[in-house]
Amino acid sequence: MRYESGYQGVNMAAVVESVVRLPELRGFVVRCMQAVGATKEHAEPLADLLVSADYRGHYSHGLNRLDMYMKELESGIAVSGDVEPTVVKQTAATALVDGHNVLGPVVGKFCIDLAIAKARTAGIGWVSAKGSNHFGIAGWYSIRASEQGLIGMAFTNTSPLMVPTRAKEVTLGTNPISVAAPANGDSFVLDMATTAVALGKVEIQERKGEEIPLGWAVDKTGTATPNPSAATGLLPLGGTEHTSGYKGYGLGMMVEMFCGIMSGGAYGPHVRKWKTCDKIANLGQCFVAIDPNAFEDGFKDRMTDLIDICRGLQPADGEEEVLIPGDPERKHMQKCDHLGGIPYHPNQIKYANDIAAKYQLDPMEQLK
Amino acid sequence: MRYESGYQGVNMAAVVESVVRLPELRGFVVRCMQAVGATKEHAEPLADLLVSADYRGHYSHGLNRLDMYMKELESGIAVSGDVEPTVVKQTAATALVDGHNVLGPVVGKFCIDLAIAKARTAGIGWVSAKGSNHFGIAGWYSIRASEQGLIGMAFTNTSPLMVPTRAKEVTLGTNPISVAAPANGDSFVLDMATTAVALGKVEIQERKGEEIPLGWAVDKTGTATPNPSAATGLLPLGGTEHTSGYKGYGLGMMVEMFCGIMSGGAYGPHVRKWKTCDKIANLGQCFVAIDPNAFEDGFKDRMTDLIDICRGLQPADGEEEVLIPGDPERKHMQKCDHLGGIPYHPNQIKYANDIAAKYQLDPMEQLK
């Protein structure tokens, strides 16, 4: 759940949006990735992932990231072609996977599908991977399990951006946790960074010339700052120590343990810096699937009841409704369905057209 | 990690403390529990748990709770005697357990030991229990696994105390998450409520007549309040929506999913109210053990490196040192070791002596 979904806070009221059908976006991403050397088989999961991110309203992680993935392949810092993730060792319920530096979504899909297969027979599958790359929204993997009636989880480490409680240097990543579970015609989808906010939210406030709440970021002395321009690192979920930020720091370390530490990939400050490509990423990631049928019968009924209880709560004064994790994304998908595709800001369309022109590819068709 | 360890904020500078050796405390708790009908086998894990809580500095969950556990047995709302938790169904890696309303620590110990056994053969053990009772500090169970070289996790639902984002009613519990992992002569121990703070911290501020930070609790309108007397529910970790409290709300729901929803125990607002005994608790709990050897070799070395990196960070201006989850408790245990036992406030000793007198039992001996 990211309540900040949409165009990252930019007021869109006066902008005429273009709408792109989902299959059209998918085809475009596949074309682009193939143009820089991806096989069709590797380009497709990446395309599905980016489509899903934009469809769910997480524009920062969708089409917006296409050039990053293309650059990874073009520069040779990530690979595609005749190479696939492999299982290094396994039990009926666990596996260690080496991604062999293939595109992140290819590694992630391999791992969550392996976890799902193990959950079908052993009740649970827990897969940790090294040698991976950026895998996009963590929710894509957990949802893949929940759509098959299982509980899904996904974790990844990322470039250092978070400053531990009482420290002043970035040491851990935004290290997201995603958990998805099925209900009756419904679902629970938690997809959250273990930092208070994503870096993008601080950057947007800076662009707007507005302050940030104390609890989002620290300056170079390690002190919480209201000034986005002075921010040198993100605070963990919870903010300062006074408001229990050490819990978010602990959760970030937990994610790192499941990812880089468990798999033997890069970890903590050893992960390459954000937006640099000086060395391979060697990200660590973790994927879990659990079969609710291995536990008490009626899981989906109880999950539905809990979801309905939460949505049915009387709103706080000044609020319109109580949501559950996944509802903001659900609203965005309904909007897309109504429009017949994903609405984009003209700048995003221009960005995509520029890529198409550069690689002499057919551009994305727009509905309007 | 609970940085608030110690006597819950009360200034102890002028108070003469009494010190009680660990085995003496253990024996006392066993005597007391047996006096209200617990078998020796059921009293012992509960005693070990309470000793561990006080030794680790979590006085709110140690000896302080003895009368609550005694009352549970005396009133017949929880049971001991010729009844044990049973496995309802299982795979090589999972189990559903029915606690049959036995004392919480008995159920919890049964479940984490089952998870540990499964992790030894299947790489992971994931056990969800219904029909349980208050199980004390979640860390006791996760540490039990980490002391055997495994990653341990424990979760429980609790009486409703947390108000979901945008709501005004308490709906979920403080729903703690504990994760422990071994390092070389060291360990990582996260033990945290998914609420911003524990209820006790709000109560202490009220007793002191001091304000609470905006982000700890809400009033009856669902608005964050600085007034502890007006607080009617706790905010989730992260505080208000503005500082990402919906993430803590999502984590609280995740814990509920692993506990009440997965096991078929009570869940959400169906869990009985805090400090009431009008119906059996039927708490849901979840216990996980993972064998790091099922993944990349050298887990403990990497964990040690990450811990050392964090502890070695330059402190923020005004701070003395950077800690890792489990360090505050480590410091308290070192203090106890130096003293030869656990230091107690005279009020705590009087409370224990009152119990001894009431049940005509030998009181706890004190070192000084």
Side-chain angles (χ1 to χ4, degrees), chain B residues 59-70:
Chain B
Y59 287 98
S60 58
H61 283 62
L63 178 62
N64 179 55
R65 287 253 173 108
L66 175 60
D67 63 333
M68 183 192 80
Y69 291 105
M70 292 175 73

Side-chain angles (χ1 to χ4, degrees), chain A residues 211-258:
Chain A
E211 289 199 341
I212 55 174
L214 280 181
W216 282 17
V218 293
D219 63 21
K220 65 183 180 187
T221 70
T223 311
T225 179
N227 178 2
S229 304
T232 56
L234 299 172
L235 275 163
L237 174 62
T240 64
E241 184 170 341
H242 199 44
T243 47
S244 307
Y246 51 87
K247 295 183 181 184
Y249 161 38
L251 290 171
M253 265 186 104
M254 176 195 80
V255 171
E256 187 56 278
M257 183 170 78
F258 293 160

Side-chain angles (χ1 to χ4, degrees), chain A residues 50-327:
Chain A
L50 298 193
V51 170
S52 174
D54 283 353
Y55 183 46
R56 297 180 66 78
H58 298 311
Y59 286 97
S60 59
H61 283 61
L63 178 61
N64 179 55
R65 286 252 174 107
L66 174 60
D67 63 332
M68 183 193 81
Y69 291 105
M70 292 176 73
K71 191 176 150 196
E72 280 184 354
L73 271 197
E74 265 195 321
S75 68
I77 205 77
V79 301
S80 182
D82 193 22
V83 54
E84 299 293 340
T86 57
V87 176
V88 179
K89 59 170 132 169
Q90 62 182 324
T91 69
T94 66
L96 171 65
V97 166
D98 187 338
H100 297 299
N101 200 28
V102 174
L103 291 167
V106 177
V107 179
K109 187 186 172 198
F110 178 89
C111 290
I112 191 65
D113 286 351
L114 184 59
I116 289 168
K118 288 180 181 295
R120 293 258 178 251
T121 55
I124 186 169
W126 186 290
V127 177
S128 191
K130 62 181 174 179
S132 191
N133 283 288
H134 293 291
F135 78 2
I137 53 169
W140 192 65
Y141 308 93
S142 57
I143 291 169
R144 198 170 166 88
S146 72
E147 284 178 345
Q148 296 181 49
L150 307 174
I151 297 166
M153 294 197 271
F155 312 84
T156 185
N157 61 15
T158 76
S159 302
L161 284 171
M162 187 260 266
V163 177
T165 306
R166 298 188 185 177
K168 56 169 74 171
E169 295 163 50
V170 294
T171 306
L172 296 168
T174 54
N175 293 9
I177 296 173
S178 180
V179 183
N184 297 323
D186 209 339
S187 62
F188 167 91
V189 183
L190 178 68
D191 187 2
M192 53 169 268
T194 51
T195 45
V197 292
L199 184 63
K201 288 192 80 167
V202 177
E203 291 172 342
I204 288 161
Q205 292 304 100
E206 185 176 15
R207 218 169 298 145
K208 291 200 233 166
E210 293 178 9
E211 289 199 341
I212 55 174
L214 280 181
W216 282 17
V218 293
D219 63 21
K220 65 183 180 187
T221 70
T223 311
T225 179
N227 178 2
S229 304
T232 56
L234 299 172
L235 275 163
L237 174 62
T240 64
E241 184 170 341
H242 199 44
T243 47
S244 307
Y246 51 87
K247 295 183 181 184
Y249 161 38
L251 290 171
M253 265 186 104
M254 176 195 80
V255 171
E256 187 56 278
M257 183 170 78
F258 293 160
C259 295
I261 305 292
M262 199 179 254
S263 72
Y267 56 86
H270 304 317
V271 179
R272 74 181 181 206
K273 283 186 186 164
W274 180 232
K275 290 185 179 168
T276 64
C277 273
D278 56 321
K279 57 182 179 182
I280 65 164
N282 191 19
L283 294 186
Q285 288 156 356
C286 184
F287 306 85
V288 183
I290 306 172
D291 187 355
N293 295 319
F295 301 92
E296 185 65 87
D297 296 341
F299 175 90
K300 284 168 79 172
D301 294 340
R302 289 187 297 278
M303 200 67 215
T304 302
D305 184 41
L306 182 64
I307 287 171
D308 289 348
I309 286 169
C310 290
R311 284 206 195 108
L313 289 170
Q314 202 185 346
D317 290 8
E319 297 293 348
E320 285 189 2
E321 58 180 349
V322 179
L323 304 177
I324 67 131
D327 278 351

Side-chain angles (χ1 to χ4, degrees), chain B residues 1 106 110 146 191 207 341:
Chain B
M1 175 165 58
V106 178
F110 178 89
S146 72
D191 187 1
R207 218 169 297 146

Side-chain angles (χ1 to χ4, degrees), chain B residues 42-259:
Chain B
H42 287 178
E44 284 177 341
L46 192 144
D48 288 335
L49 174 92
L50 298 193
V51 170
S52 173
D54 283 354
Y55 183 46
R56 297 179 67 78
H58 298 312
Y59 287 98
S60 58
H61 283 62
L63 178 62
N64 179 55
R65 287 253 173 108
L66 175 60
D67 63 333
M68 183 192 80
Y69 291 105
M70 292 175 73
K71 191 176 150 197
E72 280 185 351
L73 271 197
E74 265 196 319
S75 67
I77 205 77
V79 300
S80 183
D82 193 22
V83 55
E84 299 293 341
T86 57
V87 175
V88 179
K89 58 170 135 171
Q90 62 183 323
T91 69
T94 66
L96 170 65
V97 166
D98 187 339
H100 296 299
N101 200 28
V102 174
L103 291 167
V106 178
V107 179
K109 186 185 174 200
F110 178 89
C111 290
I112 191 66
D113 286 351
L114 183 59
I116 289 168
K118 288 179 181 295
R120 293 258 178 252
T121 55
I124 185 169
W126 186 291
V127 177
S128 191
K130 61 181 174 179
S132 192
N133 282 289
H134 293 289
F135 79 2
I137 53 169
W140 192 65
Y141 308 93
S142 57
I143 290 169
R144 198 169 166 87
S146 72
E147 284 178 345
Q148 296 182 50
L150 308 174
I151 296 166
M153 294 197 271
F155 311 86
T156 185
N157 61 17
T158 77
S159 302
L161 285 171
M162 186 260 267
V163 177
T165 306
R166 299 189 184 177
K168 56 169 75 169
E169 297 163 46
V170 294
T171 306
L172 296 168
T174 54
N175 294 8
I177 296 173
S178 180
V179 182
N184 297 324
D186 207 341
S187 63
F188 167 90
V189 182
L190 178 68
D191 187 1
M192 54 170 267
T194 50
T195 46
V197 292
L199 184 62
K201 288 192 78 166
V202 176
E203 292 171 344
I204 288 161
Q205 292 303 99
E206 185 176 12
R207 218 169 297 146
K208 291 199 229 165
E210 292 179 9
E211 289 199 340
I212 54 174
L214 280 181
W216 280 18
V218 293
D219 62 21
K220 64 183 180 185
T221 70
T223 311
T225 179
N227 178 3
S229 304
T232 55
L234 299 172
L235 274 164
L237 174 61
T240 63
E241 183 170 339
H242 199 44
T243 47
S244 307
Y246 51 87
K247 295 183 181 184
Y249 161 39
L251 290 170
M253 263 187 106
M254 177 195 78
V255 171
E256 187 56 277
M257 182 169 79
F258 294 161
C259 294

